[in-house]
Amino acid sequence: MALENSVIAARPDSLSLPVEEKGDAEGEEVEASAEAGAFDLSEEPGPVVASADPAQPPPPLAKVRKSFQNKLLEREAKANEPRKKTQGTEKERGRFGWGRTRRKRQRYVEKNGRCNVSHGNMRETYRYLTDIFTTLVDLNWRCSLFVFVMAYAVTWLFFGAIWYLIAYCRGDLDHLGDETWTPCVNNVNGFISAFLFSIETETTIGYGHRVITDQCPVGTMLLLLQAILGSMVNAFMVGCMFVKISQPNKRAETLVFSKHAVISLRDDKLCLMFRVGDLRSSHIVGANMRAKLIKSKQTQEGEFIPLDQTDISVGFETGDDRLFLVSPLVISHEIDLHSPFWDMSQSQLGKEDFEIMVILEGMVEATGMTCQARSSYLAEEVMWGHRFSPMMLLAEGFFDIDYGAFHHTFEVDTPPCSARELSLAAARLDAHLYWSISSRLDEEPTLANQAAEPPDSGSADGRGGEPIFIVGEMTDIQEQTGLGELNGCVATDQSESEA
């Protein structure tokens, strides 16, 4: 028996697996447990031992094969479960290939212009009371209406209580049916009637049923005081409500900004652009545009400045920031040497963490009040190599504005390099063309003089065999370099001074 107690690494199809025979019922239990996944899949399958003992007959081959195959299938399914989860996580990517788990930047200014700043731990809250008018105007409408109602109700109740106290102290309530008694206020027989008289006095209604008499000097002084204080309360509260109603905050709702900013070429220069428009027919007088870059930075001394604000020029030097906002305009920022985006390329744009805040200020034509509209753009909201679609059409007698294309952009050919690399390429090309043209111009008079002069062998000998150099020729390498710089970016191995 050569095969007895021998270990076989792989089981051939013709070899059956011997197991102990414990009855058909137990074999069915083994088969059911294998189908239900009752095997311990964490253990490695042991070697198969073949025995040639004739005393133990082999079990049915179909059951053994089925149970063994089920075990292998369950092991393979369990091994593939983590792999499937990993693949599902890898598919969830952001716009620029970032994972979903990447922390999204918190906006400093929301798209609707609301500043996402909360003031906490303020201990000098008394300063709000020093400017109570602005405090009341800044309240929301619910609080403003509550203060408005309570201001009148409290004054009416306060003076009503004083009128009732005067009538009680003078004994008017004890002589209600006495016609010979002259009360301070006629027909005041309780607190309710005193409260109604207070309302009539402060609002100057004057029904004529309740009236003050000349036998009450205290009541006369109180009547004057209530009239003056009532006028002050009216002026204060009506003024607050008028200013709150006429605030130009809602006017900014009709000043819209594009959802995305774009970067593309304008006059062979990289420019950051966004679009702004006014939906109303009444215009904004003296519209002025500003832009700021909000980005945290660290100084050379190691100081960390969170949310540092840097000005972005949108035409302040040339006056282009002053707008005539009759139709939607595209605001452009030229990325030059003084721009914070001077060294930013398309690949670096996806790695940066910044926010561009844009502010439009102007005077409302209808009310004459100053209005301000704000919006912002995150790094992922800046689209490289795009341009805004035109939205103005020439109709019969007027210009038609299609606001359906206000946020629409389309792709254009834009070099992926930074403005600095693009400027270096243009500078090298200009320098190469300058020296080539000047050398050719110097070469022409020299050749003309040589053609006019007769050949002189003595003069040639007198030169002592000095070689003659022809300046202005362009080698093949220089031609290829110049054409390559025209088509896009160049490597910035050399410094700007060397260039």
Side-chain angles (χ1 to χ4, degrees):
M1 301 299 293
L3 296 178
E4 185 176 1
N5 298 330
S6 62
V7 178
I8 302 176
R11 179 181 65 86
D13 295 335
S14 60
L15 182 62
S16 61
L17 298 178
V19 294
E20 296 182 8
E21 185 178 3
K22 295 184 180 180
D24 296 337
E26 186 174 356
E28 293 177 357
E29 291 178 1
V30 173
E31 181 179 356
S33 62
E35 293 176 356
F39 292 101
D40 187 6
L41 301 181
S42 61
E43 299 180 358
E44 295 294 333
V48 180
V49 179
S51 178
D53 191 359
Q56 298 179 355
L61 181 61
K63 294 182 179 180
V64 176
R65 286 184 178 181
K66 188 174 182 180
S67 61
F68 187 77
Q69 291 176 359
N70 290 338
K71 185 175 181 179
L72 292 179
L73 290 176
E74 291 176 3
R75 181 187 296 274
E76 184 179 358
K78 186 175 181 180
N80 292 334
E81 284 181 0
R83 188 183 306 171
K84 292 180 180 179
K85 293 181 180 179
T86 304
Q87 292 176 357
T89 305
E90 292 177 356
K91 291 181 181 179
E92 295 179 357
R93 293 291 179 180
R95 183 175 181 180
F96 293 94
W98 299 325
R100 296 292 185 184
T101 57
R102 184 181 184 271
R103 183 182 62 85
K104 186 179 180 180
R105 176 185 172 88
Q106 181 67 43
R107 284 185 179 272
Y108 188 68
V109 177
E110 299 291 342
K111 297 294 287 184
N112 58 1
R114 184 180 64 86
C115 296
N116 196 11
V117 177
S118 177
H119 300 279
N121 197 17
M122 294 182 298
R123 300 180 179 180
E124 298 180 355
T125 55
Y126 66 90
R127 295 181 181 273
Y128 287 97
L129 299 178
T130 58
D131 189 10
I132 187 64
F133 185 82
T134 306
T135 302
L136 293 177
V137 171
D138 290 341
L139 292 176
N140 54 30
W141 275 105
R142 184 179 302 176
C143 295
S144 296
L145 292 177
F146 177 77
V147 172
F148 184 83
V149 172
M150 291 302 297
Y152 285 102
V154 168
T155 54
W156 294 340
L157 288 172
F158 175 74
F159 284 103
I162 296 178
W163 286 115
Y164 175 77
L165 183 63
I166 292 175
Y168 178 79
C169 293
R170 289 186 76 254
D172 296 341
L173 301 179
D174 299 334
H175 301 80
L176 295 177
D178 191 358
E179 296 181 357
T180 61
W181 180 264
T182 304
C184 182
V185 180
N186 291 327
N187 300 318
V188 173
N189 53 9
F191 179 76
I192 300 299
S193 58
F195 176 70
L196 293 176
F197 179 73
S198 174
I199 296 176
E200 294 175 9
T201 302
E202 188 169 341
T203 57
T204 64
I205 294 176
Y207 290 114
H209 182 65
R210 299 177 184 88
V211 61
I212 190 171
T213 62
D214 54 357
Q215 300 297 324
C216 184
V218 178
T220 304
M221 297 298 297
L222 181 61
L223 179 64
L224 295 176
L225 180 62
Q226 185 176 3
I228 294 174
L229 291 180
S231 300
M232 294 176 62
V233 171
N234 288 333
F236 189 81
M237 297 310 301
V238 172
C240 287
M241 296 302 294
F242 175 76
V243 172
K244 190 171 183 63
I245 292 173
S246 61
Q247 273 186 329
N249 296 338
K250 296 301 180 182
R251 179 64 177 89
E253 297 293 335
T254 55
L255 298 174
V256 293
F257 295 89
S258 58
K259 295 181 180 179
H260 298 87
V262 298
I263 294 179
S264 60
L265 289 176
R266 259 195 179 186
D267 297 331
D268 295 334
K269 295 181 180 178
L270 283 177
C271 294
L272 172 69
M273 294 171 286
F274 58 93
R275 180 179 275 171
V276 61
D278 188 4
L279 301 180
R280 286 188 178 272
S281 57
S282 59
H283 310 309
I284 296 294
V285 180
N288 185 23
M289 176 61 66
R290 291 184 296 151
K292 286 184 175 292
L293 174 67
I294 301 176
K295 181 180 179 182
S296 302
K297 74 172 185 178
Q298 188 172 6
T299 62
Q300 297 180 357
E301 294 79 12
E303 179 186 3
F304 179 75
I305 304 177
L307 302 179
D308 181 63
Q309 299 184 10
T310 305
D311 285 335
I312 300 176
S313 177
V314 288
F316 177 77
E317 297 81 3
T318 59
D320 293 338
D321 61 333
R322 294 184 288 273
L323 311 177
F324 182 55
L325 197 59
V326 178
S327 61
L329 300 176
V330 177
I331 310 301
S332 175
H333 162 66
E334 181 180 338
I335 304 179
D336 53 8
L337 182 61
H338 304 286
S339 173
F341 308 106
W342 175 246
D343 294 322
M344 185 178 298
S345 62
Q346 183 178 5
S347 59
Q348 293 175 349
L349 178 62
K351 304 175 184 178
E352 291 291 336
D353 187 11
F354 62 86
E355 182 177 355
I356 302 174
M357 179 177 61
V358 292
I359 304 172
L360 176 63
E361 294 179 341
M363 184 182 300
V364 182
E365 186 179 23
T367 61
M369 303 183 69
T370 303
C371 174
Q372 185 182 89
R374 298 179 295 266
S375 186
S376 65
Y377 301 98
L378 297 179
E380 55 265 22
E381 295 175 349
V382 179
M383 305 175 66
W384 190 287
H386 283 249
R387 186 181 299 166
F388 286 105
S389 301
M391 52 184 302
M392 180 179 292
L393 301 176
L394 180 59
E396 184 177 356
F398 60 92
F399 293 95
D400 186 17
I401 306 299
D402 181 17
Y403 276 94
F406 184 83
H407 303 285
H408 187 263
T409 61
F410 61 94
E411 295 186 5
V412 293
D413 293 335
T414 304
C417 61
S418 63
R420 178 179 179 272
E421 296 173 351
L422 192 64
S423 178
L424 284 175
R428 291 176 182 176
L429 182 60
D430 293 341
H432 173 72
L433 294 177
Y434 174 78
W435 289 109
S436 300
I437 295 174
S438 60
S439 300
R440 292 182 182 275
L441 292 176
D442 294 340
E443 179 186 0
E444 291 180 359
T446 304
L447 295 177
N449 295 332
Q450 291 179 359
E453 294 178 358
D456 189 0
S457 59
S459 61
D461 296 338
R463 293 177 182 175
E466 295 179 356
I468 300 175
F469 296 95
I470 299 177
V471 184
E473 296 293 334
M474 183 187 302
T475 62
D476 296 337
I477 299 177
Q478 291 175 343
E479 291 178 357
Q480 296 176 359
T481 304
L483 293 176
E485 292 174 350
L486 270 174
N487 292 330
C489 310
V490 295
T492 57
D493 296 336
Q494 298 177 351
S495 62
E496 296 185 13
S497 59
E498 292 176 353

